Amino acid sequence: MVAIHAAVIGYVRSRVARLSNMQSSAIEIGLLRFQNPNVPDCTFQFQLHAIVDPSRRFRGEERLKLNQMPITEAAEQMLRQVDASWLNDPSQKEIRERLMDVVLQHLDEPLVQRVVITDWLCLPSQSVGLHHQVASAGH
């Protein structure tokens, strides 16, 4: 009985150690902030992440970091032009599909499996403008 108990504990510990050494397959692309003319009273902001094939994580991270600014620029430009109904969709299906297209256009190989949106905010446009003016005045 003691031997079985020890074997189970050893197995569980090895699995926990293996999981703790694994790196996440999520790579942060960055913070996106944009205004859509169809929703003038709101400035949208969120974090964009890419889920990459775990076996190609290093290559995926390298390519995403190299193309971070062009991806951000193209994504924000696209988001400024989307249909307002997409911005109110809780599942964000259309937006995620379009963001995935943007990400894949900037990579020379299919490293990204999907994109994830976190920290979605709709900030009152007036408060964002005031914060930007105050921050700019300090420089």
Side-chain angles (χ1 to χ4, degrees):
M1 184 69 141
V2 174
I4 293 172
H5 186 26
V8 169
I9 289 174
Y11 174 76
V12 170
R13 285 185 179 165
S14 71
R15 295 293 297 182
V16 169
R18 189 176 308 148
L19 289 173
S20 65
N21 288 335
M22 290 178 65
Q23 290 186 329
S24 169
S25 61
I27 299 168
E28 183 177 325
I29 294 174
L31 176 72
L32 279 73
R33 182 184 293 175
F34 66 96
Q35 286 184 298
N36 183 293
N38 300 317
V39 190
D41 57 337
C42 183
T43 298
F44 295 93
Q45 176 178 300
F46 63 89
Q47 291 285 340
L48 181 63
H49 309 269
I51 305 298
V52 298
D53 179 343
S55 67
R56 303 187 70 204
R57 187 186 194 296
F58 179 77
R59 176 77 175 153
E61 185 172 21
E62 177 184 71
R63 301 299 303 157
L64 285 166
K65 294 298 178 194
L66 182 66
N67 291 291
Q68 183 177 14
M69 291 309 295
I71 290 171
T72 300
E73 178 184 37
E76 288 180 350
Q77 182 178 21
M78 180 272 300
L79 291 163
R80 287 191 292 270
Q81 300 173 27
V82 300
D83 187 283
S85 65
W86 295 3
L87 301 171
N88 294 322
D89 175 16
S91 68
Q92 301 167 330
K93 181 181 181 302
E94 291 292 335
I95 290 174
R96 281 186 287 115
E97 286 178 8
R98 297 303 180 273
L99 288 169
M100 181 70 170
D101 292 342
V102 168
V103 169
L104 292 177
Q105 287 172 3
H106 287 86
L107 301 178
D108 54 358
E109 51 193 305
L111 298 166
V112 176
Q113 296 173 335
R114 66 187 177 101
V115 295
V116 176
I117 296 171
T118 62
D119 303 324
W120 180 274
L121 296 173
C122 174
L123 306 168
S125 292
Q126 295 165 341
S127 69
V128 173
L130 290 174
H131 174 70
H132 180 70
Q133 288 174 358
V134 170
S136 296
H139 294 290

